[in-house]
């Protein structure tokens, strides 16, 4: 059995509702977290993300200035100076399937619908810590692999095409990173 | 978590996508414990949340007042971008928070109100009573909670409001398949 050393994790919580921030802070502190930074809008959260370099971001969706979805999209910029790989847990009152899909396509790692529960939050955190997914970069997407499972019974068209580096002319991110060192 | 060093990152390039993997940067915070470990962080957090519960009624009253103020602004100025947005935000917050605060029926009524705001083609054309009844119901559920036998009444009230709202939304969205599908779709989210 595994436990998380929450005291080694740094969280950024973004929610415009002060009551929800208080609840999140209470839950995270009682899990054992010491470093919990808070913001009440997406713009401030993005600044804090760059400044504090959190391990995990927990964000609401509906917020002023720019929302949690836009925050996720801004974090998931592969060329940005900040870390584009940090797990993002979207905690939201939205509970429709299409919202889950939109959040997933913005690079959100886990989706947690309100009302919040200690168990639900803990499980999402455990999942992003213990089971990180590879990242996928396409022309239109950069974020955690949206395929959580492989299915042997899938019978639709494959949207990803194989053929290593035979078609793609641009250098890989790794090559670019290596040449810039 | 700092940006990973490029040497740690492995990238496999395919025709139309890259697969990027790196050693788990959070591995260091995982600790193996014996199965009989008695520490239960979830129970600890639930206890801490229960410790906050004395404030929930007051918080709920604040949220309810905010909703009433947002609706008062709509009555005064009509529906525009600002008033509609604030009404939606106030209702949306109640939808998300009220069950945690011990007012699940208020959350259900607020969800119904959110659906009206989100899916009505023209907010100005929504029968005013439909919105007023939602606002009044939420306020009544919050203010009357301490009285006995209000829980079943609150549940019934929320259920009936949702039925009326859905009936209206199905009618006005009959030529808007995208909205109609969203209105009729069940709530599906990853389970806790």
């Amino acid at each position: 059995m595994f436990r998380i050393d929450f005291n080694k994790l740094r969280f950024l919580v973004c929610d415009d509702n002060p009551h929800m921030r208080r609840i999140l802070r209470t839950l995270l502190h009682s899990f054992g977290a010491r470093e919990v930074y808070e913001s009440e809008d997406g713009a401030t959260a993005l600044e804090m993300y760059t400044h504090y370099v959190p391990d995990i971001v927990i964000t609401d969706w509906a917020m002023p200035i720019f929302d949690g979805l836009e925050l996720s999209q801004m974090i998931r910029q592969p060329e940005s100076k900040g870390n584009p790989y940090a797990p993002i847990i979207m905690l939201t009152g939205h509970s429709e399937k299409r919202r889950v899909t939109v959040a997933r396509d913005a690079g959100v790692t886990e989706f947690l619908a309100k009302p919040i529960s200690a168990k639900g939050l803990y499980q999402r955190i455990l999942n992003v810590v213990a089971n990180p997914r590879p990242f996928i970069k396409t022309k239109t997407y950069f974020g955690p692999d949206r395929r959580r499972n492989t299915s042997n019974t899938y019978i639709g068209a494959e949207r990803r095409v194989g053929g290593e580096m035979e078609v793609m002319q641009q250098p890989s991110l790794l090559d670019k990173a290596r040449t810039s060192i | 978590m700092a940006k990973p060093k490029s040497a740690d990152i492995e990238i496999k390039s395919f025709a139309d996508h890259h697969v990027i993997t790196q050693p788990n940067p959070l591995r260091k915070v995982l600790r193996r414990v014996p199965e009989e470990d008695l520490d239960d962080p979830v129970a600890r957090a639930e206890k801490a949340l229960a410790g906050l519960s004395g404030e929930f009624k007051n918080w709920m009253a604040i949220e309810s007042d905010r909703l009433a103020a947002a609706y008062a602004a709509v009555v005064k100025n009509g529906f525009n971008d600002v008033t509609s947005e604030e009404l939606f935000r106030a209702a949306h917050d109640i939808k998300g928070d009220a069950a945690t605060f011990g007012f699940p029926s208020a959350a259900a009524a607020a969800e119904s109100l959110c659906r009206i705001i989100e899916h009505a083609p023209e907010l100005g054309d929504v029968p005013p009573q439909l919105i007023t009844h939602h606002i009044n119901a939420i306020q009544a559920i919050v203010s009357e909670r301490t009285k006995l036998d209000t829980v079943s009444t609150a549940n019934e009230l929320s259920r009936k409001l949702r039925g009326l709202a859905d009936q209206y939304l199905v009618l006005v969205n009959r030529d808007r398949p995208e909205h109609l599908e969203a209105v009729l779709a069940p709530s599906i989210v990853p389970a806790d």
Side-chain angles (χ1 to χ4, degrees), chain B residues 3-70:
Chain B
K3 190 170 185 172
K5 293 170 189 167
S6 56
D8 296 335
I9 298 176
E10 180 188 311
I11 302 176
K12 289 182 183 167
S13 296
F14 297 85
D16 62 353
H17 66 281
H18 298 288
V19 178
I20 304 162
T21 52
Q22 57 174 317
N24 182 357
L26 300 178
R27 190 183 49 227
K28 64 182 187 299
V29 308
L30 276 176
R31 177 170 45 93
R32 187 183 284 278
V33 295
E35 290 295 328
E36 61 273 18
D37 182 53
L38 293 177
D39 180 41
D40 185 348
V42 172
R44 211 166 51 227
E46 282 170 347
K47 195 174 170 188
L49 201 56
L52 275 183
S53 62
E55 304 197 45
F56 287 170
K57 185 162 173 41
N58 184 39
W59 290 359
M60 196 65 239
I62 292 170
E63 303 272 7
S64 173
D65 289 348
R66 180 185 165 203
L67 180 70

Side-chain angles (χ1 to χ4, degrees), chain A residues 117-129:
Chain A
S117 69
K119 185 183 172 193
L121 182 62
Y122 186 86
Q123 283 179 337
R124 298 306 188 281
I125 295 170
L126 183 61
N127 209 27
V128 300
V129 168

Side-chain angles (χ1 to χ4, degrees), chain B:
Chain B
M1 183 167 71
K3 190 170 185 172
K5 293 170 189 167
S6 56
D8 296 335
I9 298 176
E10 180 188 311
I11 302 176
K12 289 182 183 167
S13 296
F14 297 85
D16 62 353
H17 66 281
H18 298 288
V19 178
I20 304 162
T21 52
Q22 57 174 317
N24 182 357
L26 300 178
R27 190 183 49 227
K28 64 182 187 299
V29 308
L30 276 176
R31 177 170 45 93
R32 187 183 284 278
V33 295
E35 290 295 328
E36 61 273 18
D37 182 53
L38 293 177
D39 180 41
D40 185 348
V42 172
R44 211 166 51 227
E46 282 170 347
K47 195 174 170 188
L49 201 56
L52 275 183
S53 62
E55 304 197 45
F56 287 170
K57 185 162 173 41
N58 184 39
W59 290 359
M60 196 65 239
I62 292 170
E63 303 272 7
S64 173
D65 289 348
R66 180 185 165 203
L67 180 70
Y71 188 56
V74 168
V75 171
K76 187 179 176 188
N77 304 315
F79 281 108
N80 56 45
D81 287 352
V82 175
T83 57
S84 306
E85 178 74 14
E86 177 54 19
L87 186 67
F88 180 78
R89 278 188 194 285
H92 187 72
D93 276 2
I94 292 175
K95 176 190 170 191
D97 302 347
T100 306
F101 298 164
F103 297 83
S105 300
E111 180 178 10
S112 179
L113 179 55
C114 285
R115 286 162 60 88
I116 295 170
I117 299 169
E118 208 171 354
H119 297 297
E122 277 295 334
L123 280 172
D125 294 340
V126 177
Q129 302 93 322
L130 189 57
I131 295 179
T132 312
H133 287 333
H134 280 81
I135 309 279
N136 291 344
I138 292 165
Q139 288 187 295
I141 291 166
V142 173
S143 62
E144 301 295 316
R145 181 169 179 263
T146 51
K147 293 185 182 171
L148 292 174
D149 79 357
T150 52
V151 174
S152 59
T153 310
N155 288 343
E156 182 63 13
L157 183 58
S158 296
R159 199 181 61 76
K160 285 202 167 168
L161 283 171
R162 174 63 180 263
L164 287 170
D166 283 359
Q167 207 176 341
Y168 173 76
L169 290 172
V170 167
L171 182 70
V172 295
N173 286 304
R174 59 189 181 279
D175 297 325
R176 305 199 314 159
E178 201 175 300
H179 282 270
L180 192 60
E181 186 184 348
V183 167
L184 296 174
S187 173
I188 299 175
V189 292
D192 283 348

Side-chain angles (χ1 to χ4, degrees), chain A residues 69-87:
Chain A
L69 199 69
E70 292 164 305
L71 173 66
S72 303
Q73 288 164 336
M74 290 181 190
I75 288 173
R76 297 282 186 248
Q77 294 295 322
E79 310 298 337
S80 73
K81 286 181 182 172
N83 173 25
Y85 300 101

